[in-house]
Amino acid sequence: MIKADYDKMLKKIEDGESPVEYSEHFLACMKHSFDSVSWKDFQEQIHSRPWTVVQGDCHAGNALWPSKPGMERGVTLIDFEVVGLGSGAQELGQFVISHMTPEVRRANEKRLVEEYHTELIANLQARGLDEEASKCVLECNISASSACAVPS
Amino acid sequence: MNMLPLSESGQLDAEWLADKIGQPVESAQVRNMTTMGGMAGSFNHLDIVLQEKSEDGTNKKLTLVIKTIPEANLQTSLTMNLWREANFYNLLADKLPENLVPKTWYAEGDPETGRKVILMENLEHHIPCGVFFGPGNPNNWALASKLDSMVEAAGGQTAAEVASEVFKLHARLHAQFWKSEDMLKNEWLQGAPWLVGKGEEKWNAQQVRLFRFSSWHRVNFGVTSTHLDVFVRVVLVRCRQ
């Protein structure tokens, strides 16, 4: 499966046929990642976190902003071609890494996640899901992509 | 746009359209072919002349957007189930807070062919939130000379302020379907079968597909014209040349 594809590419790199010479650290990280891909682990992961409907391709190009102040229609999410069930926190991580500079991310990620968490809790409570809301604990120690609402 | 009764000159059948939007239609013309529209879709404007008259005696007008999958991208649509977007608008969008997503008049997706057609609200006076994040993202390269003026015209928000608003919209989307058991029945939603332990083979196939789609794979196998960003070169790689 994916391991076969990865090994083929690794051989190409080792044989010096790649247009790029990668750092050992980078290759070690990638090897660890690809060696870890397994259905069993994936199942454990997705059942250890809350899930919901996610837009699926969450980046700043997939939201529209009014081109002038005062327009009646506000910010709007678009492009639901890969809508699915998954981790809300993960899709916020995609948003952050796809467009933000590291400087802007570092300066704002904690506040952004806190605001997301507050809005999420308020909307869950508005739906009468107080118990679910109470399970959402804010963790934002490292980065937006590894933080957010997780069960206590 | 094979799902649409469209003439070669881009006239959409008025009777068909009237049935979809619930208003008598005099005529409807497709314009502005573009290559925008997500992974495989395309957007076109649809200028509609309604039979209903304005106070000045002229016909009322309405402009919508048509999102479709071009013939050349049908295989991609089938492989990635991109037709599912029609299901989202038909089955889930009306459960969301008002104005979170575009209003739609008609949506149809075909899992057998990959075709899709969505008649949706025209948001041409909006700009992608990505423009607030500067010229670094490839999506902004073609807009680089216009970014500052676009941001200024919109009100001069910072990237962080824009991200804050978008995060809140996602919070509302997520809260609406939070661990909703009903959603697990929608097998057309990506990931729904996986959450009930089904689809291991498809999941494995998707890992391979994503790997082969990645820039890393494409660069190494010479199937892309992608130029590596300077930041990537410095941090991750040392180029031979």
Side-chain angles (χ1 to χ4, degrees), chain A:
Chain A
M1 292 303 229
I2 193 167
K3 184 76 165 52
D5 263 52
Y6 174 69
D7 286 345
K8 193 175 164 189
M9 193 170 84
L10 203 60
K11 185 172 187 316
K12 195 177 172 74
I13 293 170
E14 287 170 353
D15 290 347
E17 294 174 10
S18 168
V20 173
E21 185 180 343
Y22 295 91
S23 74
E24 292 299 319
H25 178 69
F26 175 71
L27 286 177
C29 289
M30 297 305 280
K31 184 174 189 312
H32 179 76
S33 298
F34 285 105
D35 285 348
S36 305
V37 174
S38 86
W39 171 255
K40 182 173 172 290
D41 288 348
F42 172 66
Q43 284 292 308
E44 288 174 5
Q45 287 285 329
I46 60 175
H47 289 100
S48 66
R49 300 169 181 162
W51 49 267
T52 184
V53 169
V54 292
Q55 191 254 3
D57 190 16
C58 180
H59 62 81
N62 277 340
L64 296 179
W65 190 274
S67 62
K68 291 181 290 190
M71 286 172 59
E72 187 178 340
R73 190 70 158 87
V75 192
T76 308
L77 303 181
I78 60 166
D79 194 349
F80 287 83
E81 287 185 327
V82 284
V83 63
L85 299 183
S87 160
Q90 186 175 333
E91 82 169 353
L92 300 182
Q94 184 194 345
F95 185 98
V96 169
I97 65 171
S98 70
H99 273 70
M100 276 189 179
T101 62
E103 292 76 19
V104 173
R105 174 181 60 75
R106 288 186 192 114
N108 294 282
E109 62 186 353
K110 186 170 185 296
R111 180 181 56 80
L112 287 170
V113 174
E114 286 171 348
E115 289 175 353
Y116 166 83
H117 181 255
T118 300
E119 188 75 13
L120 179 70
I121 297 298
N123 279 269
L124 287 174
Q125 289 172 337
R127 293 187 56 217
L129 301 176
D130 296 294
E131 189 178 339
E132 284 299 328
S134 69
K135 292 178 185 173
C136 294
V137 178
L138 187 65
E139 295 178 357
C140 21
N141 298 325
I142 304 172
S143 73
S145 59
S146 61
C148 274
V150 297
S152 55

Side-chain angles (χ1 to χ4, degrees), chain A residues 53 123 127, chain B residues 87-101 172-177 180 182-183 186 188:
Chain A
V53 169
N123 279 269
R127 293 187 56 217
Chain B
N87 284 9
F88 169 79
Y89 283 111
N90 284 332
L91 302 172
L92 303 187
D94 67 354
K95 296 176 170 58
L96 291 170
E98 194 175 5
N99 292 334
L100 192 70
V101 300
R172 290 171 208 155
L173 167 67
H174 297 162
Q176 187 59 38
F177 301 107
S180 167
D182 285 346
M183 292 300 108
N186 292 323
W188 54 271

